[in-house]
Amino acid sequence: MQVKKFLLIGILLSLSSLGWTQSSQPRMIWGRVQSVSGQPLSGLHIRLQELQRSTRTDDQGLFSFPSIPSGTYTLHASGVGYRAYQQVLKFPRTDTLQLILSEQAQDLKNVTVSGKSEMKRVVQQGFSVEAIDAVRVQNRTIAMNRLLDQTMGLQVRETGGTGSDFTYSIHGLSGKAVKFFLDGIPMESFGSSYRINNLPINLVDRIEVYKGVTPIELGSDALGGAVNIIRRQDVNQYLDASYSIGSFRTHQAALNGRYRHPSSGFTWVGQASYSSSANTYKVWGPTIEIAGDDGRPLPNVGKLRRFNDDFQSINARFEVGFTQVKWADQLLLSLTGSNLEKGIQTGRTMAFVYGKVRYKESFLMPGLTFAKKNFLTQGLSVKASALFNRLTGMTIDTSSQKYNWLGKVIASNVNGELGGIRSQKSRYTFNDRTALVTLNATYSLAAHHTLRFNYTGQSTRRTGMDALATAEWTIPFREPQHLNKQISALSYELTSTKADKSLTLFAKHYHYSARTNLYDYQGSSQKQLIANYQHNQTWGFGLAARTFLTPTTLLKASTENATRLPEAAELLGDGNTILNAVNLKPERSFNVNTSLQKQYRWKLHQLDWSTGLFYRFTRDLIWLGEADLFGTARYENLNRIQSAGIETEARYRYNQWLSLTANVTYQDLRNKLKHTSTGARNIVYNDRLRNTPYLLANAEAEVTKRDFLQKGSSLSVYVSTHYVPQYFLGWPSLGARATKKVIPTQFVQDAGVNYTTPSRRYTLGLDCRNLGDRQVYDNYLLQKPGRFISLKIRYFISK
């Protein structure tokens, strides 16, 4: 209840603190910035000197300043690698400013290094990385999962509709091997109520996806890759509000704003979002069965609606402090909170249907962040953060009734629906207390020589209780369990004098200790609670290099010998469908990535093409095992897994109105364990890894029409498609092909249209996912929603 009050108060403060009012006839300066060749320039800084107001251009090169009083102003436009532009203008004016900036290039023998936006800087690192411009899609009703599922080499697998569980896979390595960060801060202890898919796209500037080797700045033990969400930070003051309504009684609202005093540097940032859905979409096919009076399944029951799958979450984050002052670039005190409640409709498959099982979760996290360039001495930059969070989750299984897929009661004498199998009701609650400390330091030893250090320490203590105190399966969860992780890393980067080549060498040290509980037999006829202690430390090494073969051709390569430590959710379980895994070992992997990027430009045409090769050899891969007869599962280790593959992507752009993108990834994952622990020959040696697709493909076309109906407005229409061929749930070599369990082929299309008014304050968008209303699965016998239509309105103002 306290968390909910905090969130509601925070939303009100977000609205009131900005203190903006809108006149009846708002006036605006707006324009477009492009290069000499006519290409739009994104990420450039635009400033009105007299008003001390600034903004940046979007991906179409557009910018705007609303609520401008009459007068004469000096407008500055600048960006790294471009000649500064300045223009004196009188306001009001009705025409659109057209700014043309020329490159301020340096001839580096055969290499010309020109201006880079922050996104270009990221993708031109030696690491295999994609940078996704979130600003481009902020007018769409699109969840973060769907946006990232379109990324080359990445697959997002969801268990259902809005608010459902999900896993990320990069080049075939999935689950917790992919780490998530918010502005470089690890999110693994943030729980399910404050996670990536619950963050509104409106507060995100860009998303960085590292595939395989990750830079030490993220302070990660990521094995398969990392996703780093960068929030918007470029404007001094703004207010962004949006609301969408969609199928299956889905509602989503987001509000975020920022205020900075121009002289004192006092800064206040507020973000809040709300999401809810009944998730009453129709399901059909295998396991969607209704028993007749004789106990046998009735034939042709048709399509039935889910009925205990509702979801509701509210999230808020508030920061206050100082930015861009003499003694600190950033000193912010933050408070993050979230609250979630949802129904649990099924177990690990839809063969188990529950009518009243519920899950609730609350999360509260205070924190402090400090950042300063040239800290104490010239050339030393530091960024440090300290976060302390409390996560409480409760699984409620107290019903005496059992339901079928019609939502009807078929039995009234069970001890809980999960307990109907375990014969015990449960109201299990767990509490996680986590302390997280990060430190990043960068020091320029000399020109072209950079030293970086990172430390990340995390300690989690879990306690649990069951108010009914009868469920045997919760006994291991009731006593305290601990997980401690520490990762230290050091890197050295050498850049050529011409800046066309770079080499990064790094080393990481991993330290891990844990206590878990097991309730089992130990030399007696009665079960006992057994404490299991684990301790491990190891080293990892790697390098990343890049070189420009020509001014528009970039070759990159990276390799790493890496370790990933188990997370709390894997080791300690989640208290409902995932059990704890007391004997889980850390993963170890040798990773190699190479890629080639090429850009072609001629007149109004631009083509960006990239292709990459990857190789992984993983020992003790942490993997969620198959569900048992009770619908529960636990994580386990797979000893030797080899993966290799190729990916390629092409992006074509014509002028400012047509954009085409297509990518495809082929990944071959094999079991390379020749002999089992008993010495016997492994019958699934060299099999493809079960429950993993071998091919991923995406494509999108977008058309933008400027000055549609009104001068200064814009209309955008997009169509996208996603394809994954059928793959086996089990090992391919076992069993007859006709009787194998499979995850069916996915071939799904999305479409949408959005319109932005001339003032650029208002946007109206209409989106449709799964146009063909196809039966879609990411996981075995866990059907996803059919056709989903949503309408979104957005209001944005900046100063």
Side-chain angles (χ1 to χ4, degrees), residues 265 275 307 361 383 387 450 464 469 503 603 718 762 790:
S275 178
F307 58 90
E361 184 178 291
K383 183 176 182 181
L387 305 170
T450 304
L503 173 66
K603 296 183 179 179
Y718 75 91
Y762 300 96
S790 59

Side-chain angles (χ1 to χ4, degrees), residues 29-35 38-40 46 60-63 75 77 85-87 89 93 95-101 655-656 706-707 711-712:
I29 294 175
W30 65 285
R32 179 180 292 117
V33 184
Q34 61 187 39
S35 65
Q39 297 296 323
I46 313 297
Q60 300 294 325
L62 298 173
F63 68 91
L75 183 142
Y85 178 94
Q86 179 174 306
Q87 178 179 346
L89 54 92
R93 56 187 294 158
D95 60 319
T96 303
L97 293 171
Q98 297 287 347
L99 282 59
I100 299 177
L101 271 64
N655 201 2
Q656 298 177 18
R706 304 294 175 188
D707 301 326
K711 186 174 178 59

Side-chain angles (χ1 to χ4, degrees), residues 486-506:
Q486 297 185 70
I487 304 167
S488 303
L490 184 68
S491 75
Y492 166 72
E493 181 180 358
L494 173 64
T495 305
S496 67
T497 56
K498 305 300 183 180
D500 59 324
K501 299 179 178 65
S502 71
L503 173 66
T504 302
L505 304 172
F506 61 87

Side-chain angles (χ1 to χ4, degrees), residues 1 25 34 37-38 64 80 92 97 177 246 301 326 378 385 396 400 419 527-528 622 638 657 739:
M1 184 62 68
Q25 293 182 340
Q34 61 187 39
S37 62
S64 63
V80 178
L97 293 171
V301 297
K326 184 178 181 180
Q378 186 71 24
S385 64
I396 304 170
S400 298
K527 285 187 176 181
Q528 301 176 13
I622 298 177
L638 297 181
W657 68 271
T739 60

Side-chain angles (χ1 to χ4, degrees), residues 692-710:
T692 303
Y694 64 89
L695 187 69
L696 311 170
N698 300 277
E700 180 176 289
E702 183 175 23
V703 175
T704 302
K705 172 62 177 174
R706 304 294 175 188
D707 301 326
F708 182 78
L709 299 180
Q710 296 175 282

Side-chain angles (χ1 to χ4, degrees), residues 36-54:
V36 175
S37 62
Q39 297 296 323
L41 299 179
S42 63
L44 269 68
H45 290 272
I46 313 297
R47 179 179 175 84
L48 284 179
Q49 180 174 314
E50 289 75 10
L51 297 180
Q52 296 293 303
R53 289 172 56 179
S54 62

Side-chain angles (χ1 to χ4, degrees), residues 136-412:
R136 182 180 65 87
V137 296
Q138 285 179 349
N139 294 327
R140 300 183 189 178
T141 308
I142 186 169
M144 207 82 72
N145 280 353
R146 184 66 192 99
L147 175 63
L148 287 165
D149 199 30
Q150 300 171 336
T151 304
M152 176 175 63
L154 191 153
Q155 183 193 23
V156 183
R157 299 175 65 173
E158 297 177 313
T159 60
T162 303
S164 65
D165 293 332
F166 59 86
T167 58
Y168 273 59
S169 170
I170 296 180
H171 294 162
L173 289 183
S174 61
K176 308 300 182 180
V178 180
K179 299 290 187 178
F180 297 94
F181 298 82
L182 184 64
D183 294 329
I185 303 297
M187 296 180 66
E188 62 190 65
S189 64
F190 288 10
S192 58
S193 59
Y194 196 86
R195 59 181 179 176
I196 183 172
N197 205 42
N198 293 336
L199 298 178
I201 194 70
N202 292 25
L203 67 84
V204 180
D205 181 82
R206 70 180 185 277
I207 306 171
E208 301 168 359
V209 180
Y210 292 89
K211 295 178 283 188
V213 185
T214 59
I216 72 161
E217 294 92 309
L218 292 182
S220 168
D221 58 341
L223 202 71
V227 178
N228 188 23
I229 303 168
I230 307 298
R231 294 177 299 157
R232 55 198 313 168
Q233 302 171 2
D234 55 295
V235 285
N236 289 333
Q237 298 184 65
Y238 73 89
L239 177 66
D240 193 340
S242 65
Y243 171 75
S244 67
I245 183 172
S247 304
F248 319 125
R249 304 205 304 272
T250 300
H251 302 267
Q252 294 176 316
L255 174 68
N256 57 91
R258 174 186 172 101
Y259 168 81
R260 180 183 183 274
H261 193 275
S263 57
S264 69
F266 175 77
T267 302
W268 195 97
V269 182
Q271 301 160 0
S273 63
Y274 171 80
S275 178
S276 70
S277 179
N279 282 322
T280 52
Y281 60 92
K282 293 182 179 180
V283 291
W284 64 95
T287 72
I288 309 301
E289 299 174 341
I290 306 297
D293 295 335
D294 58 358
R296 296 181 179 179
L298 297 175
N300 304 320
V301 297
K303 298 181 179 181
L304 303 177
R305 290 194 179 275
R306 296 174 73 101
F307 58 90
N308 183 40
D309 199 25
D310 59 293
F311 170 83
Q312 177 179 291
S313 74
I314 183 169
N315 303 299
R317 180 183 175 94
F318 308 105
E319 298 171 280
V320 62
F322 296 87
T323 59
Q324 302 304 316
V325 292
K326 184 178 181 180
W327 44 272
D329 297 330
Q330 185 182 89
L331 179 64
L332 292 173
L333 181 66
S334 64
L335 186 61
T336 305
S338 62
N339 192 277
L340 173 150
E341 181 176 353
K342 65 178 182 179
I344 299 178
Q345 174 79 81
T346 68
R348 304 303 300 176
T349 73
M350 293 190 299
F352 299 90
V353 55
Y354 312 130
K356 288 188 177 180
V357 180
R358 310 289 297 174
Y359 179 73
K360 298 181 180 181
E361 184 178 291
S362 61
F363 174 78
L364 192 63
M365 179 178 69
L368 181 66
T369 301
F370 172 81
K372 181 70 174 73
K373 294 179 181 178
N374 298 319
F375 179 68
L376 299 179
T377 185
Q378 186 71 24
L380 176 62
S381 298
V382 299
K383 183 176 182 181
S385 64
L387 305 170
F388 305 91
N389 69 56
R390 172 180 176 175
L391 174 66
T392 300
M394 177 188 295
T395 301
I396 304 170
D397 178 29
T398 58
S399 176
S400 298
Q401 299 173 326
K402 185 172 178 59
Y403 294 77
N404 64 11
W405 269 109
L406 289 175
K408 294 182 178 181
V409 176
I410 57 175
S412 299

